[in-house]
Amino acid sequence: MANNIEQFVHRIVDQLNCDSREKEDLAEELTYHLQQRIDDYLNEGFTEEEAIQKSIAEFGDDQTLKVGFQNAFARYTTILNVSLWIGYVIYLISILYELILSRFWSRNSLFYFPPGTDSIWQIEVWKINANFIPLQNTINYLTGIERYNLDIILYNTFGNVLIFIPLGIFIALLFKKVARLSIITLFAMSLSTYIEVTQFFLQIGQLDIDDVLLNTLGAMLGYFLVRGIEISIKSYKKARALYG
């Protein structure tokens, strides 16, 4: 009898134009509601076969349900995707404005020329404005509370993580079919490197490998946040289906 329920549900969800995760979620939701209705009929004294048949009949024709769900998915997906894309574009523009454009226009430079230097290609300029040793500056900030203001420490450590968390969230939601951790890590690292190199050669900021690492960590945390929420929702639905 369970096969009848499974076949009915799969006839509805298998041909829907959505990703496998959404199909699985919908199948679990339909199965849960069907089982709830079957239990109601069993409590009324019907046999298991009668309860299943009446519950399926009550749900309606599978083809009609499939069309209805597809239309609902299309509307929902369109609204969600448009909203996410708008948010994603606004986020990227904000990042580029805050880290590049505003500094360039205001010339609020964090770039230094040591005495006796006047060219970006001089080794002394690179020594003071570029760091290629991973975590060196981060450790200096975290252990240098007596040398730096707290806001500077937070901005250059936790701030670099927090600012890229939305990137991981947006990519995980917008590119579900390819949004693996490796892809998000590579993209975040590339974007952060682009920003760091641009700041350096425009002489509006220092080139720091720590910023790239912390930015990338932030994007990874955003990805894990989305996946963690999805797993929690899925676990809740499974528990509800099992225990009612």
Side-chain angles (χ1 to χ4, degrees):
M1 293 301 131
N3 287 338
N4 290 341
I5 301 173
E6 186 176 341
Q7 290 170 4
F8 175 73
V9 169
H10 280 291
R11 285 200 301 271
I12 296 173
V13 304
D14 282 354
Q15 300 303 315
L16 292 177
N17 185 23
C18 56
D19 64 41
S20 59
R21 191 180 299 115
E22 290 170 331
K23 289 181 181 179
E24 185 178 346
D25 290 342
L26 178 59
E28 290 177 358
E29 190 73 19
L30 287 173
T31 301
Y32 169 75
H33 288 296
L34 268 171
Q35 191 60 56
Q36 289 286 98
R37 200 68 190 102
I38 290 170
D39 291 341
D40 291 339
Y41 281 122
L42 289 173
N43 291 333
E44 293 175 15
F46 290 93
T47 65
E48 183 179 6
E49 182 177 357
E50 290 171 336
I52 292 175
Q53 290 176 349
K54 290 179 71 68
S55 298
I56 290 176
E58 199 173 272
F59 262 65
D61 176 64
D62 55 274
Q63 292 301 313
T64 302
L65 288 170
K66 182 175 70 174
V67 172
F69 279 122
Q70 186 61 69
N71 291 336
F73 264 120
R75 288 192 298 270
Y76 168 78
T77 301
T78 298
I79 294 173
L80 179 62
N81 283 342
V82 169
S83 300
L84 285 173
W85 272 108
I86 291 174
Y88 182 51
V89 170
I90 292 175
Y91 167 75
L92 289 180
I93 291 174
S94 300
I95 288 290
L96 294 176
Y97 175 80
E98 177 66 24
L99 298 179
I100 295 177
L101 296 178
S102 65
R103 296 184 185 187
F104 181 76
W105 288 331
S106 67
R107 304 309 299 180
N108 183 19
S109 177
L110 300 176
F111 196 91
Y112 306 100
F113 283 96
T117 63
D118 57 5
S119 170
I120 196 174
W121 300 110
Q122 291 176 270
I123 189 64
E124 291 81 3
V125 175
W126 282 76
K127 285 180 178 179
I128 197 172
N129 289 288
N131 168 48
F132 297 103
I133 302 175
L135 302 181
Q136 174 178 269
N137 284 343
T138 300
I139 293 173
N140 286 339
Y141 282 124
L142 293 177
T143 59
I145 189 67
E146 72 283 352
R147 300 192 305 274
Y148 304 104
N149 293 332
L150 181 60
D151 60 333
I152 293 177
I153 295 173
L154 293 177
Y155 179 84
N156 286 283
T157 53
F158 298 108
N160 277 322
V161 175
L162 292 175
I163 200 171
F164 263 54
I165 287 178
L167 180 68
I169 293 174
F170 279 120
I171 294 177
L173 293 174
L174 283 170
F175 307 100
K176 291 183 178 181
K177 294 183 178 179
V178 297
R180 298 185 298 275
L181 180 60
S182 58
I183 297 296
I184 289 178
T185 300
L186 180 62
F187 182 77
M189 191 173 292
S190 300
L191 177 61
S192 182
T193 300
Y194 166 77
I195 292 172
E196 290 295 305
V197 171
T198 301
Q199 287 178 341
F200 182 83
F201 283 103
L202 289 179
Q203 301 172 30
I204 56 175
Q206 297 180 333
L207 174 58
D208 191 350
I209 187 63
D210 284 12
D211 288 355
V212 176
L213 295 176
L214 294 174
N215 291 161
T216 303
L217 175 61
M220 293 168 65
L221 290 176
Y223 169 83
F224 285 128
L225 178 63
V226 172
R227 291 294 175 256
I229 292 174
E230 289 177 344
I231 291 172
S232 297
I233 292 173
K234 187 175 180 179
S235 298
Y236 167 75
K237 288 182 177 179
K238 284 186 176 180
R240 190 179 66 170
L242 288 173
Y243 303 112

